[in-house]
Amino acid sequence: MTHEFRVLTLNIHKGFSMSSRRLVLAQIREQLRASRANLVFLQEVVGDNERHRRRHKHWPADTQLEFLADTVWTHHAYGKNAIYQHGHHGNAILSEQPFVAWDNINVSVHHFSQRGFLHGELAGGIHLVCLHLGLLENERKRQTEQLVHYLQHNIDEQAPLIIAGDLNDWRKRCHRRLTEGLGLQEAHEVIHGQCARTYPLIYPVLPMDRIYLRGFKVRHCERLHGAGWRQFSDHCGLMTDLTLKHAI
């Protein structure tokens, strides 16, 4: 079992450019591969969409998740959250190591905002949680409390843990609950003293995307905002290099 991890999180905007006009899945896959990440946390991944399948010539024959994972990340999990008449989308985790278990937890507060978090466990007791919280502050507060309750009752407090995704938490209230209440570290804050500004992509001023951890040493963390990353999504990606402190 490896003790070194490169973790990347990205809201892929359902596979479209920031303007939502161009399908850019191929470019996303190219950049993910080039990152050499062995754990990838993705939000707004489309599981199926009949309308897009009809309209876009290069829509993948399988799911977006399988297209992005290809032969690089042979293990992956998908959590269906938003379900509509013509399809569905949700969170996903791509991993080079196999999952021993995974589950998708529904944390929707309003019928018009379907949300969840995806919990996977790797060999060695390493836990991964991919999440995308709601846009409304009260919604995020309730979802954060659901997350805290779930972690406290389902994951050993000594177990290595990585939580990554789009928190929509520009006021950092959820951030304080996770760091002060659970004692988690945020990777970019450890290295740079503050959470990364990741939204909007064209001029990022709001700290929306995070990587929280427990049981790891942070060696490096960077916001992905170079030329290759500006072709898609409306969020910047975030990537960190971690070393597992000790196996349980």
Side-chain angles (χ1 to χ4, degrees), residues 11 23 31 46 57 65 165 169 195 223-225 234 239:
N11 182 326
L23 182 66
Q31 288 299 108
V46 176
K57 178 182 178 181
L65 175 60
D169 179 39
C195 296
R223 181 181 66 183
L224 302 173
H225 195 232
D234 51 351
M239 187 168 69

Side-chain angles (χ1 to χ4, degrees), residues 107-123:
V107 292
S108 300
V109 175
H110 306 293
H111 71 277
F112 55 83
S113 178
Q114 297 165 302
R115 305 282 176 167
F117 60 81
L118 180 63
H119 170 210
E121 182 181 354
L122 303 180

Side-chain angles (χ1 to χ4, degrees), residues 160-202:
L161 172 65
I162 302 172
I163 301 173
D166 174 6
L167 277 75
N168 280 314
D169 179 39
W170 56 89
R171 295 186 180 182
K172 297 174 66 175
R173 293 181 179 178
C174 300
H175 173 74
R176 287 189 288 272
R177 181 71 177 97
L178 295 176
T179 55
E180 297 174 9
L182 288 181
L184 303 182
Q185 293 182 303
E186 201 284 317
H188 195 273
E189 190 172 57
V190 169
I191 298 298
H192 302 284
Q194 61 183 4
C195 296
R197 297 177 180 180
T198 58
Y199 184 88
L201 175 72
I202 194 167

